[in-house]
Amino acid sequence: MSGPLNGIKVVDFSRVLAGPLCGRTLQDLGADVIKIEPPRADVSRFSAPINPNGMSGYYAQQNAGKKNISIDLNTEAAREIALKLCDDADILVENFRPGTLDAFGLDYATLAARNPKLIYVSISGYGQGGPWRGRMAYAPTVQAEAGFTHHSMRHFDDNMKAPQTDALSHADVYAGLQACIGVLSALHQRNTTGEGQHVDVAMAATIMAINEHAHVDLNGLELEDEPAILGATGGSFFVGPDGESFISAISLVGTITFRFFMAAMRRPDLGRDPRFSTPGARRVNLEELKQVVQAWMWSFPDMAALDAQLDEAKIAIGEVRSLEDIAGSEWAEYWTATHEVSDRNGGAFKLPGRPWKFSEAELPLPGDPALQGENNVEVLKTLGYDNTAIQQMEESGALVGNFASSMIASVMAQVSGAAPSEEESATDQTSETDDA
């Protein structure tokens, strides 16, 4: 058996997170992915801790297993390479600011004229058209613009010492996954029509679409003291009989969900207590209510007994674990929740595993992450270039080697007080546009 996307060819022009995650997901499902890296390298290669060969864990997590060529699209020879790759591709992934690839003659219309079956997915902050088309877009800024940050700040309110955004790049990650959904839908449609299409994914629209409480704000609904019945942040934190920190999935404040706790505790009298008889009263006296529940929880001999009682009452709980803890659990071993790839420097990176298991498909083993430009010669030979042509492109700067490694060596030399080599200084001058 092979992966569901076996035989699908992907050209990945993207960088950092949203686009690379889309490409990586397609590869995890069996597609062959070639990453086209700009001369000055994908900036995620320089994520700490710094590896002298230009391989970071951040880069490896989104790009392990992809073949890598590094070309300077400011040169005609490099643009011709890109065109040839796209002529035979099923999917192109890009996440530049709208219009960037157009400047190099790599827009959808041009490529579709050469390869009508091509599915071209563009991920940007606010879409390929419209009044915000040209705005820079990073996850924290898009989350702020699209209501995500406001929702979190409003929810935590006085519990926040200062305004802050989320620790994770939700806009990038969800946009990358939505891009995959769009691509797979277009592949299915191509089976009927025989033609590809352009898929436009906006991070802002994605963040609005995944907001499970959007209906409240968009319709001006007033919940007053009642929290939304379902919500990831409505539960309370407790401490187990042996000191375990855990969270409940439901709120102590809500009228419906509070009944679950009364049932678990065998305490219907709590509903008649004036401190806890209404959502408003429970909100005002929440700390007192939590103390009552906490004292009851400590009456159990261990976490297993407490969990059984809560499970009977349909109250789900989850222990607060670090990633290291969950990766060492029996569940992680069963699921193969992590895997290792080479760090290309004598060690290894442990990375998250696949989120799916297929009954009738076998996913390919994770590949190692490629160094910048590592597959230049291999890929170009499949396109018909001979050694002489490849050497000429290396000499002209159309093909680029491991600039990331040279850049890191140069910086480290400056930090230590040593002068960079002539080769490192020359590499640092490689031309590149701001966005490509």
Side-chain angles (χ1 to χ4, degrees):
M1 292 189 292
S2 57
L5 295 184
N6 182 52
I8 295 295
K9 298 180 179 179
V10 181
V11 178
D12 183 358
F13 281 90
S14 66
R15 57 185 183 173
V16 187
L17 185 50
L21 184 145
C22 174
R24 186 209 73 200
T25 305
L26 295 171
Q27 178 186 259
D28 283 345
L29 290 167
D32 295 318
V33 182
I34 296 176
K35 180 180 177 74
I36 297 182
E37 194 161 353
R40 291 186 180 273
D42 187 322
V43 68
S44 67
R45 287 190 182 274
F46 305 107
S47 176
I50 296 175
N51 190 325
N53 63 3
M55 183 59 65
S56 70
Y58 192 111
Y59 180 88
Q61 185 171 338
Q62 306 305 334
N63 296 282
K66 300 176 184 177
K67 292 183 179 179
N68 184 293
I69 68 169
S70 187
I71 58 179
D72 185 352
L73 290 175
N74 291 297
T75 67
E76 184 177 351
R79 293 193 292 273
E80 185 61 29
I81 292 170
L83 288 170
K84 287 185 176 181
L85 284 172
C86 294
D87 284 345
D88 192 35
D90 295 287
I91 300 163
L92 180 152
V93 181
E94 64 97 0
N95 65 338
F96 296 117
R97 202 182 307 198
T100 297
L101 287 185
D102 299 19
F104 297 104
L106 297 170
D107 55 284
Y108 171 69
T110 298
L111 298 184
R114 298 169 60 108
N115 177 8
K117 293 187 175 182
L118 179 67
I119 295 165
Y120 186 122
V121 61
S122 298
I123 308 169
S124 63
Y126 306 99
Q128 298 300 299
W132 290 3
R133 174 180 185 266
R135 295 185 63 182
M136 292 182 68
Y138 290 86
T141 60
V142 174
Q143 288 165 200
E145 293 276 11
F148 185 94
T149 303
H150 176 265
H151 186 279
S152 296
M153 291 172 63
R154 180 182 62 192
H155 175 82
F156 291 110
D157 196 22
D158 294 338
N159 290 320
M160 295 182 73
K161 294 181 179 179
Q164 54 188 298
T165 188
D166 197 272
L168 299 175
S169 301
H170 299 284
D172 281 315
V173 171
Y174 281 115
L177 293 174
Q178 293 292 346
C180 278
I181 293 171
V183 162
L184 296 176
S185 299
L187 275 175
H188 178 73
Q189 186 174 1
R190 192 180 72 175
N191 290 336
T192 301
T193 66
E195 296 183 352
Q197 59 185 296
H198 189 191
V199 180
D200 183 3
V201 179
M203 294 163 66
T206 296
I207 282 295
M208 292 181 68
I210 59 94
N211 183 342
E212 66 203 85
H213 295 148
H215 62 282
V216 174
D217 290 339
L218 292 178
N219 293 284
L221 302 180
E222 292 293 339
L223 299 179
E224 297 180 348
D225 290 319
E226 285 279 5
I229 291 179
L230 301 175
T233 54
S236 295
F237 286 88
F238 297 101
V239 178
D242 294 318
E244 306 90 344
S245 176
F246 66 94
I247 187 173
S248 67
I250 58 176
S251 170
L252 282 167
V253 174
T255 299
I256 294 176
T257 52
F258 181 50
R259 294 173 182 270
F260 287 74
F261 282 96
M262 290 191 292
M265 298 170 68
R266 312 296 196 260
R267 291 287 307 275
D269 61 290
L270 290 176
R272 297 188 294 273
D273 189 317
R275 296 172 299 169
F276 313 134
S277 59
T278 67
R282 288 192 292 275
R283 189 178 294 280
V284 170
N285 299 294
L286 183 58
E287 290 306 312
E288 287 185 70
L289 178 56
K290 287 172 63 177
Q291 289 175 14
V292 171
V293 177
Q294 181 67 82
W296 169 76
M297 290 178 171
W298 280 337
S299 70
F300 287 82
D302 53 41
M303 196 67 191
L306 172 59
D307 189 21
Q309 184 77 1
L310 292 171
D311 186 75
E312 177 188 282
K314 306 303 180 184
I315 300 175
I317 60 171
E319 186 174 343
V320 180
R321 304 173 186 261
S322 68
L323 266 177
E324 293 170 304
D325 290 340
I326 187 68
S329 67
E330 294 179 352
W331 169 81
E333 182 179 0
Y334 151 73
W335 189 264
T336 315
T338 64
H339 63 260
E340 288 191 352
V341 300
S342 171
D343 70 355
R344 309 303 304 279
N345 195 39
F349 291 123
K350 180 179 286 188
L351 301 175
R354 276 69 179 270
W356 337 268
K357 291 182 181 291
F358 294 90
S359 65
E360 302 300 326
E362 184 175 348
L363 299 180
L365 293 173
D368 291 332
L371 301 175
Q372 182 183 359
E374 181 171 353
N375 306 112
N376 283 353
V377 173
E378 174 190 350
V379 171
L380 263 63
K381 284 192 172 181
T382 65
L383 297 176
Y385 292 97
D386 59 23
N387 289 332
T388 300
I390 292 172
Q391 182 178 352
Q392 290 174 345
M393 284 187 281
E394 290 173 339
E395 293 173 351
S396 69
L399 275 181
V400 182
N402 194 352
F403 167 79
S405 176
S406 299
M407 179 65 178
I408 291 170
S410 178
V411 171
M412 298 306 291
Q414 293 175 35
V415 171
S416 65
S421 67
E422 291 183 6
E423 179 182 356
E424 291 162 359
S425 297
T427 306
D428 192 44
Q429 301 303 314
T430 304
S431 63
E432 180 194 3
T433 66
D434 290 337
D435 288 303

